[in-house]
Amino acid sequence: MKLCTIGLGYIGLPTAIMFAKHDVNVVGVDIDPRVIDSLNRGVIHIEEPGLQEALEEVLEKGTFSSSLNVEQADVYIVAVPTPNQSDQYKSCDLSYVLSAVNRVIPYLEIGNVLIIESTISPRSMDDFIKPLVEKTGFIVGKDIHLVHCPERVLPGQILHELVNNNRIIGGITPQCTDAAADVYRTFVKGEIIKTDAKTAEMSKLMENTYRDVNIALANELTQICHELEIDALEVIKMANKHPRVQLHSPGPGVGGHCLAVDPYFIISKSPKESRIIQLSREINTSMPNIVVKHINELMKESPTNVLTLFGLTYKGNVDDTRESPAIEILAQLKEQGKYEVRCFDPHVLHPLVDINIQDALKDSSLIVILTDHDEFKTLNGKYLSGMERKRIFDTKHILNKIEEEIEYIHFGNIHQFVKKQVATI
Ligand SMILES: NC(=O)c1ccc[n+]([C@@H]2O[C@H](COP(=O)([O-])OP(=O)(O)OC[C@H]3O[C@@H](n4cnc5c(N)ncnc54)[C@H](O)[C@@H]3O)[C@@H](O)[C@H]2O)c1
């Protein structure tokens, strides 16, 4: 089998390499020459544990090559970005997917399997991609097997999850589904679940929407508890003792290429019916403002105007800052211009980020933890010696052990540090 992957980012590259590890002849295609140059030099351009070694293995084996140009293959996998458009409901920008499919079309032959792994809005396969392929004269389901196989790997564990996660295969016809199921059986050990394309599209979107809505509920709980002077984190712990309750954790907002993006794909297709989904987006996008308000309160009467943000990525142990609430918080603080804001993130190389923790903390009056990187969990007094005031506002509540001299503030006890008027009837 020869396979051509279009798009070599966080999803496309590990997928391409995984097939190549399993003796499939793979050519990975990207439009960005820097990506191709880097891979041809044998160096991955994204951070993902185990991926560098896996690239070296498949280059050595000769089963993987990368190119700017699509090549004839038996199977094509499209994993290009699907950002939000800047219209009223932030609908799905399908242009990258359509352009990738257009690049594949001249190479299509009868019997080929064309898989879209990019996350797309409901009905995109039926209403846009199938007509595009059929414009060429091919009949989908008979000549070409067209399928949506959404990806739900967790960055940081992609290689493990690619193999072990269940896989939803949504073909335009059952024949399409069967053909793609055979492709993924190359390495997938999880269950291969067959469905149709529109169910696959919607189920992927609802997985992320479910998480976004539940995080919004936890974030709303922190606001309610702040007002009523109750420890929100204790409340979550207690409620989760119920065998059928699993409240999520609050945080500084929701970021990344999935949770902060995908719910809008549903909203834009069905704006009148998606009320909880819209409200949840609103709550989660308001969290950076709330964090900045808390910071402003905590910085009142501080010995210096220096504060240090810990973590700029949207989640822990990755280098991905896309849609990160930490970036929004940094932007708001910079715009206010009240403080000297330093940043420390061992996963992010950026001129704004201090490489050395001591430099980042020198004369600082407040650490604000915005990302749950493992490196932060063991933060202790010995690193904080250069701080003017040893005070931590931990929006992720991740510190393992707190020494007495450190003031530790989180969404459970913030009401003790930042007072709010209790509502009166
Ligand atoms: N990153 C994740 O954790 C994750 C998880 C599940 C699903 N997804 C979905 O997978 C898709 C890809 O996401 P990603 O994170 O891998 O994106 P990414 O931005 O990391 O990578 C996309 C790559 O596609 C390339 N590209 C763009 N247009 C192209 C074209 N026409 N031809 C060839 N290459 C092209 C870009 O240069 C880039 O290297 C998105 O729809 C995303 O929503 C991502």
Side-chain angles (χ1 to χ4, degrees):
M1 175 163 71
K2 180 164 175 190
L3 186 141
C4 180
T5 49
I6 325 294
L8 292 173
Y10 286 91
I11 297 302
L13 182 61
T15 302
I17 290 178
M18 188 54 78
F19 275 105
K21 261 170 86 80
H22 289 78
D23 299 323
V24 176
N25 181 10
V26 179
V27 56
V29 176
D30 204 284
I31 42 167
D32 187 341
R34 288 167 307 175
V35 170
I36 301 303
D37 281 353
S38 174
L39 293 173
N40 283 339
R41 278 186 286 108
V43 182
I44 57 167
H45 62 291
I46 52 174
E47 185 182 316
E48 180 59 35
L51 194 60
Q52 178 61 38
E53 294 77 5
L55 173 68
E56 286 163 20
E57 180 191 325
V58 294
L59 287 175
E60 174 86 30
K61 258 169 107 143
T63 49
F64 176 78
S65 63
S66 44
S67 168
L68 286 167
N69 302 309
V70 175
E71 287 181 17
Q72 207 290 317
D74 305 301
V75 179
Y76 297 90
I77 296 185
V78 173
V80 294
T82 44
N84 297 113
Q85 305 212 68
S86 47
D87 52 21
Q88 186 186 0
Y89 293 113
K90 298 189 168 193
S91 63
C92 171
D93 180 353
L94 207 58
S95 62
Y96 297 83
V97 173
L98 297 177
S99 139
V101 171
N102 270 321
R103 292 188 68 193
V104 168
I105 280 175
Y107 298 89
L108 279 182
E109 288 180 353
I110 288 180
N112 282 173
V113 185
L114 173 54
I115 298 169
I116 309 296
E117 284 203 5
S118 297
T119 305
I120 47 183
S121 55
R123 302 203 53 91
S124 298
M125 294 295 288
D126 287 88
D127 295 348
F128 299 105
I129 297 163
K130 178 174 177 267
L132 188 62
V133 172
E134 291 199 326
K135 238 173 47 185
T136 59
F138 287 121
I139 298 173
V140 166
K142 183 167 163 272
D143 303 326
I144 302 295
H145 302 299
L146 181 60
V147 194
H148 179 50
C149 297
E151 186 48 82
R152 56 254 271 247
V153 286
L154 186 68
Q157 296 180 32
I158 294 182
L159 291 183
H160 173 80
E161 294 211 347
L162 271 176
V163 174
N164 294 293
N165 282 0
N166 299 334
R167 192 89 215 197
I168 308 272
I169 316 270
I172 295 287
T173 67
Q175 292 77 6
C176 297
T177 308
D178 289 343
D182 287 342
V183 172
Y184 286 100
R185 279 199 193 97
T186 307
F187 61 78
V188 171
K189 290 191 184 142
E191 193 184 348
I192 297 216
I193 304 155
K194 296 181 184 177
T195 183
D196 58 48
K198 48 185 186 266
T199 309
E201 291 165 336
M202 196 60 162
S203 62
K204 161 71 192 176
L205 296 173
M206 275 315 286
E207 288 165 14
N208 287 336
T209 301
Y210 166 86
R211 300 193 53 223
D212 196 51
V213 169
N214 280 283
I215 294 167
L217 185 62
N219 284 336
E220 184 170 271
L221 174 71
T222 65
Q223 303 314 300
I224 296 167
C225 286
H226 187 192
E227 185 154 294
L228 302 179
E229 300 188 355
I230 300 170
D231 184 331
L233 302 178
E234 271 302 296
V235 170
I236 292 173
K237 207 158 110 189
M238 295 305 126
N240 285 346
K241 298 283 180 202
H242 185 291
R244 286 169 296 283
V245 172
Q246 194 53 55
L247 284 170
H248 284 38
S249 300
V254 169
H257 199 2
C258 290
L259 268 64
V261 173
D262 298 354
Y264 294 113
F265 294 2
I266 300 177
I267 293 169
S268 58
K269 283 286 183 172
S270 197
K272 274 208 190 122
E273 311 305 328
S274 52
R275 288 173 299 160
I276 290 180
I277 303 175
Q278 290 185 50
L279 191 56
S280 302
R281 281 281 69 232
E282 224 173 87
I283 291 169
N284 288 337
T285 51
S286 73
M287 286 311 288
N289 310 354
I290 289 166
V291 170
V292 169
K293 267 192 208 151
H294 289 336
I295 290 173
N296 283 336
E297 288 298 318
L298 293 171
M299 285 298 285
K300 276 183 184 162
E301 294 160 27
S302 284
T304 65
N305 74 338
V306 182
L307 72 90
T308 312
L309 302 183
F310 266 44
L312 290 183
T313 60
Y314 80 91
K315 70 189 286 283
N317 305 324
V318 298
D319 65 347
D320 191 347
T321 56
R322 289 178 294 180
E323 316 289 329
S324 172
I327 298 287
E328 170 65 22
I329 289 164
L330 172 63
Q332 287 193 23
L333 292 169
K334 289 263 178 207
E335 196 179 317
Q336 284 185 6
K338 290 197 222 167
Y339 315 113
E340 186 185 324
V341 184
R342 309 239 184 88
C343 301
F344 178 65
D345 190 321
H347 294 260
V348 176
L349 266 180
H350 188 276
L352 278 177
V353 177
D354 277 305
I355 293 176
N356 184 317
I357 188 168
Q358 271 81 23
D359 293 344
L361 289 180
K362 188 168 180 314
D363 302 330
S364 182
S365 292
L366 181 68
I367 293 175
V368 186
I369 297 180
L370 297 171
T371 305
D372 49 353
H373 290 320
D374 284 345
E375 293 89 336
F376 300 161
K377 293 179 183 166
T378 51
L379 196 64
N380 61 40
K382 104 174 166 242
Y383 295 106
L384 275 47
S385 56
M387 286 185 82
E388 201 58 40
R389 179 174 193 173
K390 293 187 179 53
R391 207 175 208 208
I392 301 175
F393 174 28
D394 181 358
T395 67
K396 303 293 288 183
H397 196 234
I398 53 164
L399 290 204
N400 287 335
K401 207 171 115 211
I402 321 300
E403 286 138 332
E404 236 172 63
E405 83 254 31
I406 299 173
E407 279 178 285
Y408 187 50
I409 305 161
H410 45 72
F411 280 125
N413 67 3
I414 183 89
H415 58 272
Q416 291 167 19
F417 296 84
V418 176
K419 295 283 176 212
K420 208 171 169 184
Q421 200 67 44
V422 178
T424 47
I425 302 165

